[in-house]
Structures are given as C-alpha cells and as structure tokens.
Amino acid sequence: LDADARNNLVQLNAEASGAQLGTLKASAQSQLSLRDGRWGIAGDAPLQASADLEIKSLAWLQPIIDSAVVFDGSLKAQLRVDGRFAQPGMSGFVTGAGFTVALPEQGLNFKDGHFQATFKEQSLQLNELTLKGGDGELTGKGQLTLENASPVLKLALEAKRLEVLSRPDRLLVLSGNSEISATGKDVRV
C-alpha cells in the first residue's frame, strides 16, 4: 500500500497477491480541500480509480460459506472509475468460470457455471449466466442499478431440465422461465 498527498492531490496505490487470494492491483486519485478547518475530499472533487482482480480458485471460501458445501470457481475483474467523488461513473467487467456449488448430502450438484457482467455508470449488467445441473442448465441475464442509493434488480432466468436435487429418495428437475425484480425491500418473482 502506498499513499501520497502533495499540493492537495491524494494518490493511493495497492497491490496484493497470494496463492489463494490471487492478484489485486488498485489505484485511486482525488483532490483534497480544506473546509471548516478540516481536510477532506469534497463531493465535487475529481476522482479517478482503477482495480484489476484475478482469483484462480475460490475454493478457500468453502469453509467460510459452510463446511458441507463444495464450492469453487475463478474470478477476473477490471473496474475503472472516473468523474466526481459524490457521483462516480464506472466501467469495466467481471467474469466467472468453472463454478461448482454442491451439497452432496442433499443431492444438489451444480457445475460448469460461468457468468459475464459489465459495469457502466451506476449499473452492473449481467450479460450471461449459465449453470449446469444433471443434463439440464440454468441461463440468465439481468441488471443491478443503484438509483438514489437504493438497489434495483431485474433478472430473467430460464431452466431447461435443470436437475436441482438428485438422491435415491428425491429428484427435482425444473424447466421454465422466471423474472425477478427487487427494489429496496420489495421483491417480486
């Protein structure tokens, strides 16, 4: 971590890497101002920031989620922020691949999951989501937008012979479409 402040300009740079963590590189720059005898960053101050993240395996999260859950996958993300401190504009992407979520005791075994999403201004656009269960799959698209500090979610899902549970004493296979919307605490399916 490196922080530097000169001539009212503040810059932060950070790098982290680890065998399980992966790699993270981030930087940010803005302008300090003196108000009421205190230094800070005003809402109208310029802001530029970037972050690059790559995690080859998320298996280290498994014990945090639940020891009975089998979980893995990889993530890659790039985020750019430009604009004003109080109203930053975002751009970038996040992708995930090789996702596995399983609860063997319950007969749940999702695999080969992947997704691709893009950041634009105040929204995250889910361009593609695929998750396989048995011989079937779940696909989806959607958008998460921050409007007036309240998140708005719209998600469209389609299941085609998606095997959700498969045990000798139970079998659940789903097919069909669903649309989910959420605004604040209001959720509709």
Side-chain angles (χ1 to χ4, degrees), residues 11 14 22-23 26 28 31 36 44 52 72 76 100 144 149 157 164 183-184:
Q11 294 180 320
T23 59
Q31 188 173 0
D36 300 325
D44 64 348
D52 296 295
D72 200 3
K76 188 173 186 177
T100 299
L144 175 64
L157 300 171
V164 179
T183 304

Side-chain angles (χ1 to χ4, degrees), residues 57-72 100 102 104:
S57 174
L58 294 167
W60 58 271
L61 287 172
Q62 187 172 322
I64 296 169
I65 297 169
D66 186 334
S67 60
V69 175
V70 177
F71 180 78
D72 200 3
T100 299

Side-chain angles (χ1 to χ4, degrees), residues 27-44:
S27 66
Q29 176 179 311
S30 191
Q31 188 173 0
L32 295 171
S33 59
L34 186 62
R35 293 186 320 181
D36 300 325
R38 300 173 90 181
W39 285 98
I41 300 175
D44 64 348

Side-chain angles (χ1 to χ4, degrees), residues 32-146:
L32 295 171
S33 59
L34 186 62
R35 293 186 320 181
D36 300 325
R38 300 173 90 181
W39 285 98
I41 300 175
D44 64 348
L47 173 66
Q48 290 182 322
S50 66
D52 296 295
L53 173 70
E54 185 169 1
I55 302 174
K56 295 186 192 289
S57 174
L58 294 167
W60 58 271
L61 287 172
Q62 187 172 322
I64 296 169
I65 297 169
D66 186 334
S67 60
V69 175
V70 177
F71 180 78
D72 200 3
S74 66
L75 276 179
K76 188 173 186 177
Q78 185 179 76
L79 178 64
R80 303 290 178 255
V81 178
D82 199 9
R84 299 288 171 194
F85 194 78
Q87 193 77 36
M90 295 185 289
S91 63
F93 70 87
V94 60
T95 60
F99 276 89
T100 299
V101 179
L103 275 164
E105 290 181 11
Q106 301 302 319
L108 183 131
N109 187 23
F110 295 131
K111 58 187 184 255
D112 299 328
H114 66 273
F115 69 90
Q116 187 228 2
T118 53
F119 295 101
K120 185 171 183 186
E121 299 303 324
Q122 300 293 316
S123 69
L124 175 66
Q125 181 75 37
L126 179 60
N127 302 315
E128 178 185 7
L129 168 68
T130 302
L131 190 62
K132 296 185 181 197
D135 293 330
E137 70 177 5
L138 176 72
T139 59
K141 292 183 179 192
Q143 184 172 17
L144 175 64
T145 305
L146 290 175

Side-chain angles (χ1 to χ4, degrees), residues 135-176:
D135 293 330
E137 70 177 5
L138 176 72
T139 59
K141 292 183 179 192
Q143 184 172 17
L144 175 64
T145 305
L146 290 175
E147 293 179 4
N148 301 323
S150 180
V152 176
L153 172 70
K154 293 180 181 176
L155 186 61
L157 300 171
E158 181 180 8
K160 294 179 184 173
R161 298 183 339 266
L162 178 68
E163 192 174 281
V164 179
L165 299 175
S166 179
R167 286 184 13 172
D169 62 334
R170 65 181 84 145
L171 177 65
L172 176 60
V173 178
L174 296 178
S175 290

